[in-house]
Amino acid sequence: MRQILAEVVTIGDEILYGQITDTNTQWMSTELDKIGIKTVRKSSVGDQEDKILQILPEAESRADIILLTGGLGPTKDDITKKTLCKYFDDELIINDDALAFITEFFTKRGRPMTELNRLQAMVPKHCTYLANKTGTAPGMWFEKSEGSAKGKIFVSMPGVPHEMKYLMANEVIPRLKKYFETPIIYHKMIRTIGVGESFLAEKIEKWEDSLPQHIKLAYLPSFGQVRLRLTGVGENEEILKQEVQNEVDKVLPLIQSFIFGYDDDDLEVALGKLLKSKGKTVSTAESCTGGFISHLFTKVPGSSAYFMGGVVSYDNSVKVNVLGVKSETIETYGAVSEETVTQMAEGVRGLMKTDYAIATSGVAGPEGGTPEKPVGTLWIACAMEGRTIARKIQMSNQRETNINYGSVVAMNLLRKMLNGDYES
């Protein structure tokens, strides 16, 4: 079965200027993937007719389906309809269904319909009008019926996310499923932590080389984590899922200690499940991470079953007066030290009466470092009854990166200790 390919083109100067964030293409690609259509490229073009006319044949040469969003409003800078008319050698006409809907749209809201609004009912004569019941901009479906591009589909939709999503869900996806015969695409994600991408690749190289032709592997690194995405393409969903699972079973013995979850299990979700399964509780004492670890824990519904609370001890007085860190410890070793972060973890564990506690202290940056403790120096600790483990990590001068990465490393230390790993 042939793989059906799509290209998504966003139209609008505001995207190229960075004035709005393009969330449409990510959502659309996800929905296409669910029905076995692979997105091969995402492109953005400004509100210039010549630029749009240039990108359309390029997209047509690469894909079977070209999805366009944006440029369909009532103002003069919205030129998508006129440009599509030129591309398809067509003309704009008033679509009766579109006009009736737009008229009703304004009547229900008690608002007058201007001539500009009426013009939104104009669509290319030979397109199929797609009713947008969440706004006034139309959806338009074009089918190429001749030449080398015969059978290719163009769909134009509004750039407003909720309007685009309505059209995709109610008009575009159902039509694409009828128009194309598509294979099954199935993804399985293995989520690892505490191991670099290159080291991971070396450990599983032989397994990766032996994967069947229809199953591909991708490495997706982020803060302290690497997601291994297995993607299988086939015609029978149940068989495909089993084939992918067989490959997962083969690789597990090689990387088991680094795996914390699968698919949509974020670290905080997986850690919450682990704490609940063991009947354990945790608290936090955060300095450089500023409460970010507490935020991650409390993002998860039901986290009150295992997360008791936290202290953001940003100032040394809070470390001393609330957490019980000895003032001489800070005077001798500094706030960013093994000794201080150890006492922070033990202090909050006693204060909150939890089984485990995490603590962080560091120089998040971009300023404040010293030759002995440069920006990016972080100490983390995890305490349990009878044992506290502290680790030093050295990061960059990027504050947000240091906060995110430090939080992940601290939570991974808790994961290891919950699993009885006190050495690595």
Side-chain angles (χ1 to χ4, degrees):
M1 188 180 298
R2 185 175 72 87
Q3 176 72 70
I4 304 302
L5 307 177
E7 179 159 342
V8 181
V9 180
T10 57
I11 299 172
D13 290 335
E14 64 276 10
I15 294 174
L16 297 178
Y17 293 154
Q19 294 169 340
I20 67 168
T21 300
D22 170 30
T23 58
N24 283 352
T25 55
Q26 180 183 13
W27 187 88
M28 293 166 76
S29 297
T30 300
E31 296 306 300
L32 291 170
D33 180 74
K34 290 177 182 177
I35 61 169
I37 295 173
K38 181 179 180 181
T39 303
V40 291
R41 184 170 297 196
K42 301 175 182 180
S43 308
S44 292
V45 64
D47 295 302
Q48 294 89 37
E49 181 182 277
D50 61 328
K51 300 301 182 185
I52 299 172
L53 288 173
Q54 179 182 344
I55 205 169
L56 291 178
E58 293 175 5
E60 184 182 285
S61 70
R62 289 185 288 259
D64 305 289
I65 304 161
I66 297 88
L67 300 179
L68 313 169
T69 66
L72 292 177
T75 54
K76 291 181 180 179
D77 65 326
D78 291 308
I79 60 172
T80 299
K81 286 192 291 187
K82 292 179 181 178
T83 306
L84 287 171
C85 274
K86 185 169 288 190
Y87 188 70
F88 288 104
D89 192 22
D90 207 341
E91 62 177 321
L92 287 173
I93 62 167
I94 290 288
N95 181 283
D96 292 338
D97 292 336
L99 182 60
F101 172 76
I102 293 172
T103 301
E104 183 182 10
F105 183 92
F106 284 97
T107 300
K108 281 184 175 180
R109 288 158 178 78
R111 293 160 51 191
M113 188 173 76
T114 67
E115 181 60 21
L116 280 178
N117 297 133
R118 183 178 179 277
L119 291 178
Q120 285 197 282
M122 296 189 75
V123 298
K125 183 177 181 179
H126 295 101
C127 80
T128 299
Y129 163 70
L130 305 180
N132 170 19
K133 296 184 179 180
T134 60
T136 57
M140 296 169 286
W141 172 286
F142 301 83
E143 297 180 16
K144 282 268 189 168
S145 59
E146 57 186 28
S148 60
K150 184 177 180 180
K152 298 206 172 186
I153 299 297
F154 287 73
V155 184
S156 176
M157 293 170 283
V160 180
H162 75 271
E163 295 185 31
M164 174 277 295
K165 289 179 180 179
Y166 173 85
L167 283 167
M168 281 288 289
N170 295 278
E171 296 285 349
V172 180
I173 294 295
R175 290 171 184 269
L176 291 176
K177 289 169 70 173
K178 290 180 180 179
Y179 194 89
F180 292 102
E181 185 179 1
T182 60
I184 301 296
I185 300 178
Y186 173 67
H187 303 289
K188 181 70 177 180
M189 201 83 74
I190 304 173
R191 309 195 66 153
T192 70
I193 190 170
V195 57
E197 182 182 2
S198 59
F199 182 78
L200 191 62
E202 287 181 8
K203 288 188 72 70
I204 63 176
E205 183 177 9
K206 291 182 179 178
W207 168 80
E208 182 179 356
D209 290 341
S210 67
L211 285 172
Q213 192 69 27
H214 65 292
I215 298 177
K216 306 296 183 184
L217 176 68
Y219 295 81
L220 307 174
S222 58
F223 294 111
Q225 304 177 42
V226 180
R227 290 173 293 163
L228 297 176
R229 188 192 65 210
L230 283 163
T231 300
V233 179
E235 297 183 15
N236 185 296
E237 185 173 9
E238 291 306 313
I239 292 175
L240 187 60
K241 285 182 177 181
Q242 187 57 57
E243 289 175 334
V244 171
Q245 186 59 49
N246 290 343
E247 297 305 322
V248 172
D249 294 340
K250 290 177 186 177
V251 79
L252 286 186
L254 303 176
I255 56 172
Q256 185 72 64
S257 63
F258 304 115
I259 297 173
F260 70 84
Y262 299 90
D263 299 323
D264 295 328
D265 278 345
D266 290 328
L267 178 59
E268 57 269 22
V269 174
L271 198 48
K273 290 179 180 178
L274 185 59
L275 284 160
K276 287 180 74 173
S277 70
K278 294 180 176 291
K280 302 298 182 182
T281 57
V282 67
S283 55
T284 59
E286 300 182 66
S287 183
C288 62
T289 51
F292 188 66
I293 298 173
S294 296
H295 162 68
L296 292 175
F297 275 125
T298 56
K299 274 174 58 179
V300 182
S303 55
S304 59
Y306 51 84
F307 179 68
M308 298 297 101
V311 175
V312 180
S313 54
Y314 212 61
D315 189 79
N316 287 342
S317 63
V318 180
K319 294 179 179 68
V320 173
N321 297 325
V322 177
L323 297 177
V325 176
K326 297 177 181 178
S327 56
E328 55 265 33
T329 299
I330 296 177
E331 291 169 5
T332 304
Y333 302 103
V336 181
S337 65
E338 178 179 4
E339 291 78 8
T340 295
V341 81
T342 295
Q343 291 180 21
M344 288 171 63
E346 293 171 349
V348 78
R349 179 176 173 272
L351 182 67
M352 301 286 179
K353 296 180 172 55
T354 55
D355 300 298
Y356 291 84
I358 300 172
T360 63
S361 188
V363 188
E367 300 173 349
T370 66
E372 295 79 22
K373 298 173 184 177
V375 172
T377 302
L378 277 70
W379 275 97
I380 62 170
C382 186
M384 59 182 288
E385 185 174 2
R387 186 189 295 266
T388 302
I389 297 175
R391 294 280 187 267
K392 179 184 177 182
I393 56 177
Q394 191 64 51
M395 292 295 295
S396 67
N397 65 349
Q398 301 298 312
R399 187 177 186 85
E400 186 174 353
T401 298
N402 295 339
I403 291 172
N404 277 276
Y405 185 78
S407 299
V408 167
V409 174
M411 295 175 78
N412 189 42
L413 180 57
L414 171 62
R415 181 188 72 88
K416 289 181 176 182
M417 291 182 68
L418 281 162
N419 287 326
D421 180 358
Y422 308 121
E423 304 301 327
S424 63

